[in-house]
Amino acid sequence: MEKVARGSLLGIEHLEAAEIAGILKLARQMDTRKPRPLLRGKRILLLFYEASTRTRSSFEIAAQSLGAATTLVLSSGSSIEKGESLLDTVYTLRAVGADLIVIRHPNAGAPQFIATHLDIPVINAGDGMHEHPTQALLDAYTILRHKKTITGLNVAIVGDIYHSRVARSAVQLLSKLRAKITLCGPPEFLPEVATTLAPGLQISRTVEDAIRGADVVMVLRVQKERLAGMNVSLDDYITRYQVTLPRLRLAKKDAIIMHPGPIIRGLELTWEVADCRQSVIVEEVRNGVPVRMAVLTRALGGRR
Ligand code: NCD
């Protein structure tokens, strides 16, 4: 990997299990509503080239809870609309005094690209179909609030694996912590390289087989346009892969059900599943704040 500023978080791929554990531990310390002005005087730029609700708001709240000033730059309404390049945009943000840039971009590799041209840390808030490292960290954090350890847990990931940066980051993180992962979705949504993403990955043809005995069921968003683009009918997807209560009953009794959001009720999961006792979907959003506080503190080296 080319040289980037210390504290950058570009993907899970380059993180060691010990670093992951360190971030999760720091997140636990951050998990209070007590003000912690560790980053007072720092300027955090949030550069979003794609839509976002949870990721953007939780990064902003995390930064402000640490006493940092935040500025949001969206592709619409900025000079990006006038055709300014990505690199010229980030040089501008650096010139106005950014100490750190959080970026979401539709192109895989965009955070890595800007990080190699900047002397400040860059945090990847989702790049194309590549990675979404803070989502994987908050998912691990959420699992650990319900399970003693991730090692040996059976995790089923169901939905559009192929287009999902959430799946890519989750698979890497959970394999580094030695979970047993089973992927499930229409073959069109399972990358050929799926099993090479991490050692020991299983692929299940039926959702029943994937969910049976699972400790964690992670459901991914499924987009109607993508189903159409892959020639998979909506009805067929729902019949074969939708996570329903009867299917969820095949999982362990104390299994948790996760989804990175935004959820499409009635497509990848039913209303009952989204709102059931085992659903931690809202808790995941909540946990995004302490986890992102930890990632920002690690990047900007605030004293604890
Ligand atoms: C995801 C994303 O944008 O990658 N959402 C999120 O950040 N919580 C998942 C998705 O859009 O499917």
Side-chain angles (χ1 to χ4, degrees), residues 23 30 67 69 81-82 98 100 116 118 125 157 164 175 206 214 217-218 228 249 280 298 300-302:
I23 297 172
M30 299 283 171
E81 254 182 3
K82 301 180 186 166
L100 179 149
T116 55
L118 289 170
I157 306 182
S164 178
S175 336
T206 71
V217 179
M218 189 181 284
R249 286 199 196 100
V280 296
R298 169 181 177 268
L300 289 173

Side-chain angles (χ1 to χ4, degrees), residues 10-16 130-131 133 168-169 172-173 176:
L10 302 173
I12 297 296
E13 194 187 341
H14 304 291
L15 280 187
E16 310 268 333
H130 178 224
E131 280 229 40
R168 230 160 247 109
S169 289
Q172 302 209 35
L173 190 153
K176 284 179 198 236

Side-chain angles (χ1 to χ4, degrees), residues 6-7 9 17-34 36 38-39 62 66 123 137-138 141 144-145 286-304:
R6 254 186 90 205
L9 178 60
E19 284 178 284
I20 295 169
I23 297 172
L24 297 177
K25 185 171 167 212
L26 185 53
R28 274 190 292 277
Q29 292 165 16
M30 299 283 171
D31 203 345
T32 67
R33 292 191 66 132
K34 225 175 45 200
R36 278 173 187 271
L38 297 170
L39 302 185
L66 291 162
I123 310 288
L137 287 162
L138 76 86
Y141 186 84
L144 286 170
R145 280 173 51 114
R286 176 214 169 272
N287 294 339
V289 176
V291 167
R292 291 181 170 119
M293 285 172 78
V295 167
L296 295 174
T297 303
R298 169 181 177 268
L300 289 173
R303 267 185 298 125
R304 268 159 255 162

Side-chain angles (χ1 to χ4, degrees), residues 50-56 104 125-128 131-132 135 138 163-166 220-223 259-262 292:
E50 259 188 31
S52 172
T53 304
R54 291 145 258 267
T55 306
R56 193 180 108 183
R104 169 168 284 193
D127 63 329
E131 280 229 40
H132 192 351
Q135 179 69 40
L138 76 86
H163 295 102
S164 178
R165 53 195 176 204
V166 174
L220 301 173
R221 183 163 68 110
V222 173
Q223 290 172 260
H259 191 306
R292 291 181 170 119

Side-chain angles (χ1 to χ4, degrees), residues 110-125:
Q112 165 81 40
F113 172 70
I114 66 164
T116 55
H117 287 85
L118 289 170
D119 57 348
I120 54 171
V122 173
I123 310 288
N124 180 1

Side-chain angles (χ1 to χ4, degrees), residues 55-56 62 75 90 124 137 139 147 153 170 181 196 222 252 260 301:
T55 306
R56 193 180 108 183
S75 44
V90 297
N124 180 1
L137 287 162
D139 284 337
K147 311 281 168 202
L153 281 188
I181 303 168
T196 61
V222 173
K252 291 209 181 122

